[in-house]
Each structure stands twice: as C-alpha cells, then as structure tokens.
Amino acid sequence: MGEEVKMSEFEVNGGDDEATATANTAFVDDEDDVDQRVLEWEIGLPDCDDLTPLSQSLIPPELVSAFSISPEPRRTALDVNRASHDTLSSLRSSGTHLFTNNSNKTSNNNNLHSFNDPMVVEPEGDGSGSGSGSEPKKMRKTDSGIAEEADSAVRTTENSEDPSARALKRPRLVWTPQLHKRFVDVVAHLGIKNAVPKTIMQLMNVEGLTRENVASHLQKYRIYLKRMQGLSNEGPSASDQLFASTPVPQSLRESGSGGGGGGGGGGSGLVGGSANGNGHVGMPIPMPYGAPLVPVAMPMYGHMGMHQGGYHHQQNGYEANSYGMQPRDWPRGNKYGSLMSYHNYMAPNDKLN
DNA sequence: CTTCTAATAT
DNA sequence: TATATTAGAA
C-alpha cells in the first residue's frame, strides 16, 4: 500500500514560485470570414477527455523567455493566424495572446490581454470586487523573463494612464469541449441548484471568463439538460456536439428539492467524494482546478456535420497552465486545493512521437 | 445587486 | 450556429 503516483487526469498546477504563466489566450471572433483559416489541425491529436500531459505546450513560456529565444516580435493575430498552421507550436510556446480580430462592425482593436502573473495571489478577496466590480489587479512583476509587452487589465479601471482605447470589447468566447467540461464539472459539484453564474465563474477559474459568459452558457446548458430529461435516456443526441460530448453528471439531474439519487457522478474528472447525491451542498467546494484555463484559437469549420450517435474525437482547444497559480482564495480548509503540485509539462516530443 | 427567463442581435 | 446583449421580473 503505500502511495503511488496517482496522476489526476487533470492538469496539475505547478506550485513553484517562478512560474510565470503566459497563457495563450485566444478567442475566435468571427463568423463570416472563416474561409482561409482552414488550417489543418493535427487531427490525430490525443483525443479527448482528459488529455493530460499531452496537451502541454512544447516549451513553457518561461523557458522561452529565459533562453532569450524569443526575439520574435509580437505578431498580430492575423499573422499568427496565417502562420499558425505552419508553426503552431511556435505560437503556443511564444505565448502570444491570440485573438482573431473581427473587423466587421465595431472596429476595435482587441488589445485584450489577459493577466498572466500567477505570483500574485489575492488572499483577501475583499467581497466588493468579485467580478463585476473590479478584477483582481495584477501587478506585473518585471522579473526576468517575459519581456513581452505588459499586459493590461482585461477591462478594469485600474489602468492609470492610457485613457484612449477604452471601449475594448472582448471577442466571442468559444466554448470548446475542454472549457465546457470544466463548466460541467463545476456545475456538477455545485449542484444544479447552487449553480449560479457568479459562483460558477469563480469556481471555474478561467481567465477572462465573465459572469455573462457563464450565464449565457448556463442558459443553454439548462435547456439542454431539460431537454435531455424530457426525452428518454438516449445516447448522444446529435444535437449540440458540445453538450453531447460531455457526460452529464447525474447529479445535475435533480430538479427542485429532494429527489434524487444519483450516484455516480460524472465520472469524468470529478473529484471523488464531493458528489452530493442529495442533500445540500452548503458551500462552494473548491475545485481541483489549480490553474486557469486559457482558450486557444480553434478554427471551427462552418459545417462540421453532425455525427449521429458517434463519439468523435475533438482536438484540444484549451490548455491548462501548469504554472504556479493558485485559485482565488479558497477556504483554507480544502482538501484539494493545493494537493497537487507536480508539473511535468516538459514534453519535448509533442507531436513528434 | 444578482439571477432568471425570454427575446433579440450579431 | 453560437454567443452576446438586453429587458423585465423575482
């Protein structure tokens, strides 16, 4: 008996100090001009579910900068887009925030940069802020490394200067399976009753996620659940690839009070134990997520076609930062919280295999 | 103020 | 289509 190296299927957060997380933030905001961005993604990627270590970037941004091998100027989203199919890896390692600029209606420069300094942990959340008001200010530590441009707040008013370029609108958020999975997990743990946008957003700990994002998605998700319940238990419905590809924890099945039982659990990545079949949740349960997720550009083909009753493999659309970054301020009594602190993101041979 | 729902806009 | 945004009610 003894302990073995049990790896959580999820990404792990590196509890190290000098871990600077430079995440690739990417959203796809575009709808009509998606023609030339048909780059071929590595379709043979490890599918799904919990692609663990494989999803790690080739080279951690810190290393990149540490080695000064990043003379590469900041390329615009367009550039990156174009070259993405060529040097996708490069893109990843460079940690460039990628946004597809949508120059259709409001011509706004998406300077939306996400914060990336994990070092700063806000022990005192101070209730006032909490999302809508003011996001946690990220002080950029001019430490060695990441000589990239400084990141500014996503949309907070902490910027002392630079009044111009203010009305920055964030691009559409793309709910990729990974992101959705996180969402589902959180909802499952909270229980359908306690799953409200704000809480979900906080628990998900996804950078850049707003309450509205979650609310919107939650709406759709609820409808999906309802629909599922109404129908007999059917396999994967051809509707909603996203939802269909994510196992819906039975915990979410309950509607109202009392009810149900359930048992099993989503089974995908839930931390055993916290399954609250019935009864009440009581308080927000800290999720195992130690690292924020970052959306990555994922070209969606106009017509993907729906696969009927089939499990199709999806590419990983999100990467988790395994860099030291602790969630907001979880109750110190959490068992999961900082349980994991081993990072092994060094996967030199990603696709080289 | 936050959330819910529905409707609407992009 | 998938999200975002809004409106009005709770």
Side-chain angles (χ1 to χ4, degrees):
Chain A
M1 314 81 105
E3 45 103 87
E4 60 262 24
V5 209
K6 190 179 222 159
M7 307 201 125
S8 192
E9 42 200 344
F10 262 109
E11 61 279 337
V12 291
N13 79 358
D16 286 7
D17 18 319
E18 55 266 287
T20 321
T22 318
N24 306 355
T25 317
F27 287 107
V28 188
D29 176 37
D30 194 354
E31 50 250 293
D32 228 315
D33 288 284
V34 214
D35 35 0
Q36 78 253 47
R37 79 168 50 156
V38 225
L39 20 116
E40 303 178 14
W41 282 66
E42 307 118 288
I43 307 179
L45 275 180
D47 12 315
C48 24
D49 268 46
D50 316 295
L51 18 93
T52 325
L54 261 172
S55 68
Q56 300 308 343
S57 310
L58 304 149
I59 307 170
E62 330 138 36
L63 277 179
V64 174
S65 45
F67 283 75
S68 291
I69 53 179
S70 63
E72 122 181 329
R74 67 284 217 96
R75 28 203 34 188
T76 39
L78 231 92
D79 252 296
V80 174
N81 230 337
R82 195 179 302 145
S84 55
H85 77 285
D86 216 340
T87 21
L88 199 120
S89 43
S90 163
L91 205 171
R92 283 186 186 155
S93 54
S94 87
T96 307
H97 306 286
L98 199 161
F99 282 93
T100 37
N101 202 348
N102 175 12
S103 55
N104 207 347
K105 32 198 129 165
T106 43
S107 55
N108 39 27
N109 279 346
N110 292 338
N111 267 0
L112 213 167
H113 284 216
S114 2
F115 20 75
N116 50 3
D117 209 338
M119 297 221 200
V120 186
V121 180
E122 291 82 345
E124 50 289 308
D126 189 309
S128 62
S130 197
S132 60
S134 51
E135 288 263 300
K137 57 272 202 100
K138 283 345 197 231
M139 292 173 104
R140 172 161 239 292
K141 187 185 227 157
T142 44
D143 199 289
S144 55
I146 315 249
E148 293 282 345
E149 49 211 316
D151 46 19
S152 34
V154 174
R155 53 121 90 63
T156 25
T157 55
E158 59 180 320
N159 216 336
S160 48
E161 231 177 7
D162 216 62
S164 51
R166 184 145 273 174
L168 294 177
K169 220 197 252 270
R170 38 170 104 230
R172 283 165 81 90
L173 173 69
V174 177
W175 287 89
T176 51
Q178 270 66 30
L179 188 53
H180 176 66
K181 181 165 194 288
R182 205 162 192 158
F183 169 85
V184 171
D185 280 353
V186 170
V187 173
H189 282 155
L190 285 175
I192 217 43
K193 303 194 294 274
N194 299 320
V196 293
K198 195 179 183 181
T199 311
I200 296 172
M201 174 196 66
Q202 290 176 330
L203 278 173
M204 281 177 76
N205 195 21
V206 171
E207 154 207 313
L209 240 196
T210 64
R211 186 161 57 80
E212 340 280 335
N213 285 137
V214 176
S216 189
H217 194 66
L218 182 59
Q219 259 199 324
K220 212 173 87 172
Y221 188 61
R222 276 173 174 160
I223 292 173
Y224 170 78
L225 289 181
K226 199 179 245 186
R227 182 165 251 226
M228 268 271 164
Q229 292 171 31
L231 298 171
S232 285
N233 41 15
E234 265 305 313
S237 214
S239 317
D240 298 293
Q241 307 181 353
L242 223 191
F243 294 155
S245 52
T246 309
V248 177
Q250 297 181 329
S251 313
L252 300 180
R253 207 212 133 267
E254 55 186 327
S255 60
S257 48
S268 255
L270 300 189
V271 183
S274 54
N276 43 354
N278 48 18
H280 35 61
V281 176
M283 66 176 80
I285 303 172
M287 294 298 275
Y289 306 128
L293 257 184
V294 264
V296 95
M298 197 176 179
M300 284 205 140
Y301 316 107
H303 50 285
M304 237 179 167
M306 350 192 217
H307 300 221
Q308 280 186 340
Y311 307 95
H312 55 81
H313 40 359
Q314 358 232 153
Q315 283 92 289
N316 51 343
Y318 284 80
E319 279 195 37
N321 293 350
S322 334
Y323 314 114
M325 164 115 168
Q326 297 220 302
R328 285 199 135 44
D329 45 313
W330 294 128
R332 59 277 184 211
N334 55 12
K335 320 162 150 159
Y336 323 106
S338 50
L339 251 181
M340 49 220 174
S341 33
Y342 54 103
H343 54 173
N344 49 346
Y345 47 61
M346 38 190 336
N349 31 26
D350 189 329
K351 51 175 75 187
L352 194 122
N353 193 323

